[in-house]
Amino acid sequence: MALIKQIRQRTGLAIGVIAGGLILFLLGGDLLSPNSTLLSSNQNIVGEIAGEDITLEEYSQKIEEFKFSFQQRTGRAPVEAEMVSVREQAWQAMIVERVFDEEYEKLGLTVSDAELVDMVQGKNIVPELRAQLVNPQTGQFDKNQLISFLQSLETADPAQQAFWAQQEQLFAQSRKRVKYDNLLATSEYATTAEAKMEYKAANSIADASILYIPYYVIPDTEVTISDSDLTAYLNKNKEKFQVGNSANIEYVSFSILPSGQDSADVISNITQLTEELKASAEDSAFVSRFSEVQFPFQTYRPGDQLPASLTSNVGDIQKGETYGPFITPNSTYVTYKVTDQYSGTPRMRASHILFSTEGMDEAGKASVKDQAQSVLEEIKGGLAFAIAARQYGQDGTAQNGGDLGWFAKEDFVEPFANATYAARATGLLPSLVETEYGYHIIEVTELPQSDYTKLAVLELELVASDATRDEAYRNADTFAAQSGNRNQFTENATDSNYRIIQANNVDANARNLNNLTNARSVIMWAFGDASIGEVSPVFELDNSYVVASLVARKEEGDAKLEDVKEQVKQQVMNEKKAAMIKEKISGKATLEEMKDVFQDASLNNLPDLRLSTSVIPGVGFAPKAIGALFSLKESGQMTQPVQEDIGVVVARMNTLTPAGEIGDYTAYQSQLTQNASQRMAYQIMMALQDLADVKDYRYKFF
């Protein structure tokens, strides 16, 4: 019943969302119809996916789905910072629906009913459910709560049933994506030839002499650059100078940070409340009433880190004691009361390497066991466990070195749990452990611990008082009212000794202006109806009021010369200087003679330069010069002068120690394959978005 009550309470938080949706529906004939004056023509198009326009209405509906899901998980509505993530999840879901679903269908990827049942109540319950249904007494996932919830669905109200149906769809979509990513990731393969190249690049060593001639050896005054030079360079290198939708903005910030009096008032308040907390017999009720943190009463399990503000100030905490107030790095004041310390469900930590045998016959299992035993012997012989896990592991923990984190015995299948909890010391278990999933190599990293601590947290924010905020707003409002255009903006700021701050090339999707966070309202104004030279109204940000002026706005596409003139000029300058350097050292037979031409040039000997590196010590990023050096066939040969971003480099090969042949390149082959597999999911997403020609106009609305 407690679970059902909790779910109903959480569902209640979504009523406002549903009601809002009904209001939009009732008004939709006027507001959201194709003939709407509010959302007419292309004004309500937030993007395009695979040639299909995405309207603000359908995107907003998708946002509400994810917002509703957030509320059900957390029991509260998302704040604006969290809404950024919610909107992005909704957008990615729409891309998946239009792009990935077609791919799933081509490949025949599905999630069966039996698989879905297993995900929500079987042996492989999805992490989202495990995180939501936790016993508050033990801090552990409680499967009984899940069973009670599922049994209650038949008689639950429609909102709960709708939420669960949506959750199942999300679980299924997520599982399809995992299957798709894994399908392509496991298709990654590095050949022996590639592995041999990787090995040779890492182990081919040159003793080389490097002459580095920086561009500044030629004074800028000796270089003549015309507008035609700049235009020619830009036309030849357009791909280097693509610009997105961006704007140049000037603004004046009026701080609303707490005053000294505000700080004194908070200290006085929390000092009084701390004394009351010490005497309180109802700690959880007290901090729930007065504390300004979201979760003021928490249980810390073995493996959980106690708050740093407590441990850094108190050496040995004791049950019943109250500590604080302390100031935190977040400019809050906090007091802790240790409500309880007790022995609870033991939890431990371990890492594992899984060799899967699911779906195999006995012969296949025997082969996998032999492989696992071979790897176990390698680890016993000195191979680092984490490296072996990354190389051989066949589940999601592999990329983390096999780390499973802290867990209770009941969190895992019986053979695995029994083996780990039977350990009497940390370290590698001497034998393989077989479970229904396959064979495991296990390393115990922390022995079982059972110390639990309950903390009541009284925390007050140090914020500006109403008087402080009112004074800042009056100054900002007066300044905005008197600044009708950019000229007046500049004059009034100068007269009032206000600092004008520039924010150039602000991206249309940015959320910050320089160091001003959550400045989305200012940026939306700049990309909305604002005209060049216009002055904004007063915007309220986190810690300041802002008045802005729009200086310039640039459209997405090839950059115009005036937008990137300084960057282009620098590149042309470098090219001309490189040509002048090459001309001056032309005809010189040795590096020493070349160095004598330029006093600021450097000549260094590097005894162990490797082909796999891209950086020359003392020089910087110079991959072309390194490639040229290793292409030399004989000792004493020199490269041609190589133009790099940092200057001109000439290299001499003194001696080359080629990588010796080895009998087995498997380790390099596995590492190449693993690296490629780890990049695969991101690359798949980017490739499909490119193929779908996704266009994103959401910056106009959010």
Side-chain angles (χ1 to χ4, degrees):
M1 292 300 293
L3 174 65
I4 296 173
K5 180 180 179 182
Q6 184 182 29
I7 292 171
R8 285 176 177 165
Q9 288 172 340
R10 290 182 174 183
T11 304
L13 293 172
I15 290 176
V17 175
I18 298 170
L22 289 173
I23 291 170
L24 285 175
F25 176 78
L26 292 173
L27 297 177
D30 292 325
L31 292 180
L32 301 177
S33 70
N35 298 320
S36 166
T37 56
L38 177 63
L39 300 177
S40 61
S41 187
N42 291 326
Q43 293 181 3
N44 70 328
I45 302 301
V46 299
E48 184 179 315
I49 302 173
E52 179 183 348
D53 285 340
I54 308 300
T55 67
L56 177 60
E57 180 183 9
E58 59 183 318
Y59 179 50
S60 297
Q61 289 173 349
K62 183 63 69 175
I63 291 173
E64 290 302 330
E65 290 178 16
F66 279 83
K67 184 177 178 183
F68 180 65
S69 179
F70 180 97
Q71 291 171 320
Q72 292 293 332
R73 290 196 313 272
T74 64
R76 61 179 178 83
V79 299
E80 178 53 34
E82 292 163 331
M83 278 301 299
V84 175
S85 176
V86 169
R87 294 187 194 106
E88 186 59 28
Q89 290 172 23
W91 181 248
Q92 294 301 326
M94 298 187 82
I95 294 174
V96 168
E97 289 172 1
R98 287 161 173 77
V99 176
F100 279 90
D101 280 357
E102 183 178 346
E103 296 296 310
Y104 300 153
E105 187 174 349
K106 290 177 184 177
L107 294 168
L109 288 181
T110 61
V111 174
S112 67
D113 291 343
E115 189 175 0
L116 190 56
V117 169
D118 182 55
M119 291 165 62
V120 300
Q121 55 181 296
K123 296 177 181 177
N124 298 287
I125 296 173
V126 294
E128 293 87 347
L129 284 177
R130 299 180 71 90
Q132 290 180 48
L133 300 172
V134 174
N135 186 315
Q137 299 301 318
T138 65
Q140 307 294 326
F141 166 67
D142 188 346
K143 193 169 184 178
N144 291 328
Q145 289 191 29
L146 176 58
I147 293 171
S148 297
F149 168 68
L150 294 174
Q151 290 174 342
S152 71
L153 278 176
E154 290 187 6
T155 57
D157 60 59
Q160 291 179 18
Q161 293 178 347
F163 166 69
W164 182 250
Q166 179 196 352
Q167 288 294 99
E168 286 189 327
Q169 289 179 356
L170 292 176
F171 295 154
Q173 280 287 352
S174 177
R175 178 60 60 88
K176 287 181 185 177
R177 179 66 187 278
V178 168
K179 289 182 177 182
Y180 184 78
D181 288 349
N182 287 344
L183 179 67
L184 293 184
T186 53
S187 70
E188 278 291 337
Y189 179 75
T191 65
T192 303
E194 289 174 316
K196 187 177 292 188
M197 289 175 61
E198 181 74 7
Y199 163 75
K200 289 187 174 182
N203 294 280
S204 295
I205 303 174
D207 181 316
S209 296
I210 305 294
L211 174 67
Y212 167 48
I213 309 173
Y215 289 126
Y216 60 75
V217 299
I218 305 290
D220 290 355
T221 53
E222 293 185 14
V223 181
T224 302
I225 298 176
S226 65
D227 286 344
S228 61
D229 291 330
L230 300 179
T231 301
Y233 184 89
L234 180 59
N235 290 337
K236 185 179 178 181
N237 298 276
K238 287 184 177 181
E239 71 284 352
K240 292 183 180 180
F241 299 98
Q242 296 292 307
V243 296
N245 292 307
S246 62
N248 293 344
I249 301 170
E250 292 181 342
Y251 62 92
V252 173
S253 176
F254 299 82
S255 173
I256 48 176
L257 293 173
S259 65
Q261 184 59 50
D262 296 336
S263 180
D265 291 343
V266 173
I267 294 173
S268 175
N269 191 14
I270 196 169
T271 300
Q272 178 182 338
L273 289 173
T274 296
E275 294 304 314
E276 295 177 17
L277 177 59
K278 287 181 181 179
S280 174
E282 299 291 340
D283 298 341
S284 61
F286 185 90
V287 293
S288 294
R289 179 181 177 188
F290 293 106
S291 187
E292 294 176 348
V293 293
Q294 186 178 350
F295 302 109
F297 195 76
Q298 297 188 37
T299 299
Y300 291 84
R301 309 169 299 174
D304 294 339
Q305 294 294 319
L306 290 170
S309 298
L310 176 61
T311 55
S312 63
N313 287 288
V314 182
D316 182 24
I317 64 173
Q318 299 292 327
K319 178 180 177 180
E321 293 297 318
T322 302
Y323 303 99
F326 308 118
I327 189 167
T328 75
N330 298 323
S331 298
T332 64
Y333 290 91
V334 62
T335 292
Y336 301 98
K337 184 172 183 181
V338 184
T339 297
D340 196 8
Q341 290 179 308
Y342 63 95
S343 181
T345 302
R347 301 178 82 236
M348 67 178 298
R349 189 174 186 176
S351 299
H352 83 142
I353 306 172
L354 171 64
F355 296 82
S356 177
T357 59
E358 290 189 273
M360 293 185 181
D361 57 18
E362 292 304 317
K365 291 181 180 179
S367 176
V368 170
K369 183 177 182 181
D370 289 342
Q371 183 194 10
Q373 187 65 46
S374 174
V375 174
L376 177 59
E377 296 305 321
E378 285 188 64
I379 297 172
K380 289 179 179 179
L383 176 62
F385 190 95
I387 293 176
R390 293 187 180 96
Q391 184 171 340
Y392 298 107
Q394 296 175 8
D395 69 346
T397 67
Q399 60 188 9
N400 299 322
D403 185 21
L404 293 163
W406 289 80
F407 57 88
K409 191 172 184 179
E410 57 266 27
D411 289 341
F412 287 94
V413 291
E414 191 171 326
F416 188 99
N418 288 341
T420 53
Y421 272 81
R424 293 294 174 263
T426 58
L428 183 70
L429 297 190
S431 303
L432 299 175
V433 175
E434 183 181 5
T435 70
E436 59 200 85
Y437 302 107
Y439 292 97
H440 305 257
I441 300 174
I442 301 174
E443 181 181 52
V444 174
T445 51
E446 296 284 350
L447 291 174
Q449 299 177 23
S450 56
D451 294 333
Y452 285 67
T453 300
K454 288 187 176 181
L455 288 183
V457 182
L458 174 65
E459 187 167 357
L460 299 184
E461 293 184 69
L462 176 57
V463 296
S465 65
D466 289 344
T468 300
R469 300 180 71 90
D470 288 347
E471 181 181 0
Y473 182 79
R474 280 194 298 271
N475 293 335
D477 190 45
T478 300
F479 175 71
Q482 294 175 348
S483 304
N485 54 52
R486 188 181 171 205
N487 289 336
Q488 293 177 355
F489 177 93
T490 303
E491 292 172 3
N492 292 334
T494 302
D495 292 343
S496 300
N497 202 27
Y498 294 148
R499 180 188 173 198
I500 297 177
I501 304 172
Q502 293 183 336
N504 294 327
N505 298 316
V506 178
D507 187 82
N509 294 303
R511 312 204 75 80
N512 301 333
L513 274 179
N514 296 332
N515 63 339
L516 293 180
T517 58
N518 297 325
R520 187 65 193 152
S521 55
V522 183
I523 297 167
M524 287 182 64
W525 166 81
F527 286 93
D529 297 329
S531 56
I532 305 301
E534 184 176 340
V535 177
S536 76
V538 178
F539 292 104
E540 181 179 357
L541 306 187
D542 289 346
N543 296 310
S544 63
Y545 293 109
V546 166
V547 179
S549 176
L550 180 60
V551 178
R553 191 163 52 211
K554 306 165 190 174
E555 299 297 325
E556 184 176 11
D558 294 338
K560 298 177 181 178
L561 182 58
E562 59 265 27
D563 296 332
V564 291
K565 189 170 186 176
E566 288 306 311
Q567 298 98 300
V568 172
K569 183 178 180 181
Q570 187 60 57
Q571 295 299 317
V572 173
M573 179 81 71
N574 290 347
E575 284 197 349
K576 287 180 174 286
K577 286 185 176 183
M580 295 169 71
I581 290 170
K582 291 177 182 179
E583 183 179 355
K584 288 178 181 291
I585 63 176
S586 176
K588 305 299 181 183
T590 67
L591 296 182
E592 289 74 14
E593 291 177 0
M594 296 179 190
K595 182 183 184 306
D596 289 340
V597 177
F598 298 104
Q599 183 178 355
D600 290 328
S602 64
L603 177 59
N604 295 301
N605 186 67
L606 300 175
D608 58 352
L609 193 63
R610 296 175 185 267
L611 176 58
S612 59
T613 189
S614 57
V615 174
I616 298 178
V619 175
F621 186 69
K624 290 183 289 187
I626 293 171
L629 171 68
F630 277 90
S631 70
L632 300 177
K633 304 299 182 184
E634 298 178 6
S635 297
Q637 284 186 314
M638 294 193 307
T639 67
Q640 293 296 316
V642 178
Q643 179 184 343
E644 295 281 9
D645 291 340
I646 37 77
V648 174
V649 177
V650 186
R652 180 178 64 215
M653 177 69 76
N654 298 325
T655 59
L656 174 65
T657 305
E661 295 292 334
I662 58 176
D664 185 6
Y665 295 95
T666 304
Y668 290 91
Q669 196 172 358
S670 298
Q671 190 62 50
L672 284 172
T673 300
Q674 183 179 340
N675 291 343
S677 296
Q678 290 174 351
R679 297 190 301 267
M680 179 60 68
Y682 174 78
Q683 291 173 332
I684 291 169
M685 187 69 185
M686 293 301 100
L688 287 178
Q689 285 199 37
D690 286 344
L691 290 172
D693 194 21
V694 175
K695 294 182 172 62
D696 189 352
Y697 311 130
R698 291 178 294 156
Y699 64 85
K700 298 179 181 179
F701 304 90
F702 300 97

